[in-house]
Amino acid sequence: GLEYGTQGILFNKLITTKVGFSYDESSEISTKGRANGSGEIEYPLVLSRNENRKAQNMDYFGQMTLRASDQISLIGGLRSTSVRLSNNDYITSDGNSTGSVTYSAINPVFGLTYHIADTANLYLNYGRGFETPTLSEMGYENRTGSTTAIDQGFNRRLLAAKSDQYEVGMK
């Protein structure tokens, strides 16, 4: 990741800005032997999964803090996130778990701080959150339409969770 920060004066007030970029990637290989009803691996070993799962995350962000007065600071920011989850199924007999899905969001953050003293602040913050399913969660789907039957497969129908957080406090 990269981050750049600077301070300056805007309308005779101190302003601090940060902008940045981050990229993360992880992968996992899942190979499991087929187990019988008592949980023992059957021999000869037959693979029930042979997959390479990958998660890629790219973020761009910016944040500004304006010291509006000796007592008041205002904070605002945005984060643009794109997450791609993919799976390559190497079992050629079905190959039904191969696929990918991309989730994207732009999330804001706003805050107000009242500086009571050098060592005490009151604050009020708001932020929007975004959380994608995990690679493990993506590995199972309900293909049969049953409310209880779960099959292995790449579940492209899962949605990202979105949340709003509010915070009030003193530190």
Side-chain angles (χ1 to χ4, degrees):
L2 297 169
E3 184 175 303
Y4 175 76
T6 186
Q7 288 186 341
I9 302 295
L10 179 66
F11 305 117
N12 292 326
K13 307 295 181 191
L14 178 64
I15 187 166
T16 304
T17 59
K18 286 184 184 180
V19 294
F21 165 82
S22 66
Y23 177 82
D24 295 296
E25 183 176 310
S26 67
S27 64
E28 63 185 29
I29 295 173
S30 176
T31 56
K32 306 279 187 206
R34 190 174 305 274
N36 63 23
S38 64
E40 298 169 352
I41 294 178
E42 295 177 351
Y43 292 97
L45 184 61
V46 177
L47 292 177
S48 61
R49 285 188 184 251
N50 186 7
E51 301 169 338
N52 184 4
R53 302 175 187 158
K54 187 183 285 187
Q56 297 168 300
N57 180 69
M58 193 175 332
D59 291 304
Y60 297 93
F61 58 90
Q63 181 174 314
M64 300 176 90
T65 303
L66 177 68
R67 189 69 183 245
S69 70
D70 288 341
Q71 288 80 34
I72 304 285
S73 291
L74 303 170
I75 299 167
L78 286 175
R79 176 177 292 269
S80 173
T81 300
S82 179
V83 177
R84 183 175 188 268
L85 302 176
S86 62
N87 188 58
N88 287 318
D89 183 355
Y90 298 121
I91 297 179
T92 56
S93 64
D94 63 10
N96 61 0
S97 294
T98 295
S100 68
V101 64
T102 300
Y103 301 95
S104 299
I106 297 175
N107 294 312
V109 62
F110 302 103
L112 171 69
T113 303
Y114 179 74
H115 306 276
I116 300 169
D118 289 341
T119 58
N121 297 318
L122 293 173
Y123 58 89
L124 172 66
N125 294 318
Y126 163 78
R128 189 179 313 150
F130 170 73
E131 182 179 346
T132 67
T134 66
L135 285 172
S136 293
E137 291 168 332
M138 298 297 290
Y140 297 94
E141 69 176 326
N142 182 341
R143 289 193 206 136
T144 62
S146 165
T147 58
T148 58
I150 303 296
D151 299 322
Q152 99 182 19
F154 190 71
N155 193 345
R156 294 167 195 80
R157 295 178 293 185
L158 292 177
L159 301 175
K162 296 179 181 180
S163 61
D164 292 299
Q165 294 92 32
Y166 301 90
E167 181 180 47
V168 176
M170 181 176 170
K171 66 176 183 177

